[in-house]
């Protein structure tokens, strides 16, 4: 039996992804011009028997329009004051919610003295005595080792723009920081689980302790330099990058254990597990793609549909880009999607050839 790829949703995913990335990078007018040209092209085939082409063009138009609407609305809600302050190199005070645990990175001029950084979502920024609301994501460098996901903190320091990043992130080199509030609600639960797991792994000897944290939580800060070099030499570094393989193993285990229950119970358990994995590991690009894609497949099979992988990937890309527009210009997201699409497209062929 030959496997066929369901590519019907690929134009929608491509248009949504491309439209969002272009809007964030070059502005909305490029996408508006593309929509106008495609609309003119779409009207002409209606006079003949070009239904398939008309449907494809209309799908692309809808994707571009959705991307334009969501991205423009999202950029408007983020507030431009903090970006303007970063372009001018202003000193600012930021009140923010931590979105990633602190990580260490080697210093450009002193590799032996690493410094820490974390990603926060700004809620209020004060520059020159004026305070503004914001939803901007900021990379904070400085004394941030003690902060974890979900905490509410205040940071003070000079802002700048990282022109090397595709999405030109705002950076703050913090001189002082302070904790305003611990994690709350779901963030508090997941933080407790993560800290409990870290405490358990500390009872293990190295390299098992650091490796277990890397494989389960994606925390590679405790992996020794020698082990990291060995993983790189053997091309096994992907084992410590939480992605589709980890999601597949966990989801398969849950579906196997719940196979004796009715279908809706197994589906509910699978979806809860995926949501828990997302909250526990964090909104990494590969994790988000894998969790949403797996959720689409689970829902499709619960309704008696086959759940084609390529259709699930296209749906996941569309949903993720519309919910988190900044993901469209993330290098990690691009690599995750392209690698998954390549596996889906070429695995049946290589299987037949090797068989």
């Amino acid at each position: 039996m030959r496997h066929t790829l369901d590519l019907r949703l690929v134009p929608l995913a491509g248009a949504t992804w491309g439209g969002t990335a272009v809007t964030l990078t070059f502005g909305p007018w490029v996408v508006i011009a593309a929509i106008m040209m495609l609309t003119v092209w779409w009207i002409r085939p209606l006079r003949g028997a070009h239904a398939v082409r008309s449907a494809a063009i209309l799908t692309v138009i809808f994707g571009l329009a959705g991307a334009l609407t969501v991205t423009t609305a999202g950029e408007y809600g983020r507030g431009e004051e903090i970006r303007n302050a970063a372009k001018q190199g202003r000193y600012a005070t930021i009140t923010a919610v931590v979105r990633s645990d602190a990580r260490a990175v080697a210093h450009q001029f002193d590799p032996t003295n690493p410094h820490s950084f974390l990603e926060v979502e700004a809620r209020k920024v004060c520059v020159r005595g004026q305070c503004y609301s914001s939803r901007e994501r900021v990379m904070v460098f400085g004394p941030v080792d003690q902060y974890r996901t979900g905490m509410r903190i205040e940071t003070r320091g000079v802002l700048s723009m990282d022109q090397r990043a595709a999405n030109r992130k705002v950076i703050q080199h913090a001189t002082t920081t302070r904790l305003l509030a611990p994690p709350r609600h779901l963030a508090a639960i997941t933080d407790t689980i993560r800290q409990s797991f870290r405490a358990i792994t500390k009872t293990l000897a190295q390299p098992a302790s650091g490796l277990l944290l890397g494989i389960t939580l994606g925390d590679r800060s405790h992996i020794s330099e020698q082990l990291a070099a060995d993983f790189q030499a053997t091309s096994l570094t992907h084992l410590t990058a939480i992605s589709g393989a980890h999601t597949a193993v966990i989801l398969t285990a849950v579906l196997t254990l719940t196979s004796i229950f009715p279908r809706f119970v197994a589906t509910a358990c699978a979806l809860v597990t995926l949501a828990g994995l997302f909250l526990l590991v964090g909104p990494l690009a590969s994790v988000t793609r894998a969790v949403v894609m797996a959720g689409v497949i689970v829902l499709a099979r619960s309704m008696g549909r086959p759940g084609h992988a390529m259709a699930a990937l296209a749906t996941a890309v569309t949903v993720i880009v519309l919910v988190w527009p900044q993901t469209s210009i993330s290098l990690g997201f691009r690599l995750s999607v392209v690698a998954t699409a390549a596996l889906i497209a070429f695995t049946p062929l290589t299987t037949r050839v090797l068989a």
Side-chain angles (χ1 to χ4, degrees), residues 4-13 292-297 300 305-319 340-341 344-345:
T4 58
L5 296 176
D6 188 350
L7 303 177
R8 290 174 293 178
L9 293 176
V10 171
L12 177 63
V292 176
M293 183 178 172
V296 171
I297 293 176
R305 301 184 65 85
H308 292 290
M310 188 63 78
L313 177 61
T315 304
V317 169
T318 304
V319 171
T340 305
I344 295 171

Side-chain angles (χ1 to χ4, degrees), residues 268-292:
C269 291
L271 294 177
V272 169
T273 301
L274 291 173
L277 177 65
F278 178 79
L279 292 172
L280 187 64
V281 176
L284 302 174
S286 57
V287 174
T288 305
R289 192 273 312 158
V291 167
V292 176

Side-chain angles (χ1 to χ4, degrees), residues 13 24 32 34 99 106 111 115 135 154 159 170 212 229 257 260 266 344:
L24 290 175
I32 293 174
R99 294 305 184 195
H115 59 301
R135 305 287 291 186
E154 180 186 88
L159 300 175
V170 176
L212 188 58
L257 293 173
I260 60 175
I344 295 171

Side-chain angles (χ1 to χ4, degrees), residues 9-346:
L9 293 176
V10 171
L12 177 63
T16 307
W17 188 2
T20 304
V22 170
T23 303
L24 290 175
T25 307
F26 302 105
W29 296 110
V30 178
V31 179
I32 293 174
I35 292 175
M36 293 176 64
M37 289 188 294
L38 287 172
T39 301
V40 173
W41 190 20
W42 173 71
I43 293 175
R44 294 182 59 189
L46 292 179
R47 300 173 183 174
H50 302 286
V52 175
R53 188 169 64 178
S54 297
I57 295 174
L58 187 60
T59 300
V60 173
I61 292 174
F62 274 122
L64 291 175
L68 180 65
T69 303
V70 171
T71 306
T72 304
E75 288 295 294
Y76 177 79
R78 290 169 64 188
E80 285 296 316
E81 292 81 7
I82 190 172
R83 299 183 73 85
N84 293 333
K87 293 174 183 177
Q88 299 171 14
R90 300 292 186 187
Y91 184 91
T93 300
I94 297 176
T95 302
V97 177
V98 180
R99 294 305 184 195
S100 70
D101 291 351
R103 288 173 285 177
V105 61
H107 197 280
Q108 180 179 2
F109 302 107
D110 186 8
T112 62
N113 184 25
H115 59 301
S116 299
F117 75 97
L118 50 75
E119 185 174 12
V120 303
E121 183 178 310
R123 296 299 172 83
K124 184 175 72 172
V125 56
C126 297
V127 183
R128 288 187 167 184
Q130 297 291 326
C131 295
Y132 312 93
S133 61
S134 177
R135 305 287 291 186
E136 185 73 33
R137 290 293 183 103
V138 181
M139 302 297 295
V140 180
F141 291 82
V144 294
D145 307 71
Q146 70 274 29
Y147 300 126
R148 304 187 301 274
T149 303
M151 290 181 171
R152 192 177 183 90
I153 65 173
E154 180 186 88
T155 62
R156 298 172 183 265
V158 177
L159 300 175
S160 63
M161 295 292 294
D162 185 3
Q163 300 296 341
R164 297 171 299 175
N167 54 350
R168 298 186 295 277
K169 285 187 176 182
V170 176
I171 294 176
Q172 184 184 45
H173 295 276
T175 54
T176 60
T177 63
R178 68 186 181 101
L179 176 66
L180 299 180
R184 300 176 180 176
H185 311 305
L186 282 176
I189 297 174
T190 55
D191 181 66
T192 301
I193 296 173
R194 280 195 296 266
Q195 297 312 311
S196 299
F197 191 79
R198 286 191 172 100
I200 293 173
T201 57
K202 287 181 179 179
T203 62
L204 302 176
Q206 287 286 4
S209 176
L211 183 58
L212 188 58
L213 278 176
I215 292 176
T216 54
L217 299 181
D219 183 0
R220 288 167 283 187
S221 60
H222 299 280
I223 296 179
S224 64
E225 294 183 4
Q226 181 59 49
L227 183 61
D230 293 341
F231 267 71
Q232 187 172 6
T234 55
S235 298
L236 291 175
T237 53
H238 62 279
L239 291 179
T240 56
I242 308 298
S243 60
H246 299 74
T247 305
V249 170
I250 295 173
L251 189 60
T252 301
V254 172
L255 292 176
T256 301
L257 293 173
T258 58
S259 59
I260 60 175
F261 298 106
R263 180 183 295 178
F264 75 91
V265 175
T267 300
C269 291
L271 294 177
V272 169
T273 301
L274 291 173
L277 177 65
F278 178 79
L279 292 172
L280 187 64
V281 176
L284 302 174
S286 57
V287 174
T288 305
R289 192 273 312 158
V291 167
V292 176
M293 183 178 172
V296 171
I297 293 176
V298 169
L299 287 174
R301 293 189 174 180
S302 69
M303 295 183 290
R305 301 184 65 85
H308 292 290
M310 188 63 78
L313 177 61
T315 304
V317 169
T318 304
V319 171
I320 292 170
V321 168
L322 290 178
V323 176
W324 299 285
Q326 289 289 327
T327 309
S328 64
I329 49 179
S330 166
L331 179 60
F333 182 71
R334 295 175 186 175
L335 293 174
S336 178
V337 173
V338 171
T340 305
L343 287 172
I344 295 171
F346 294 108

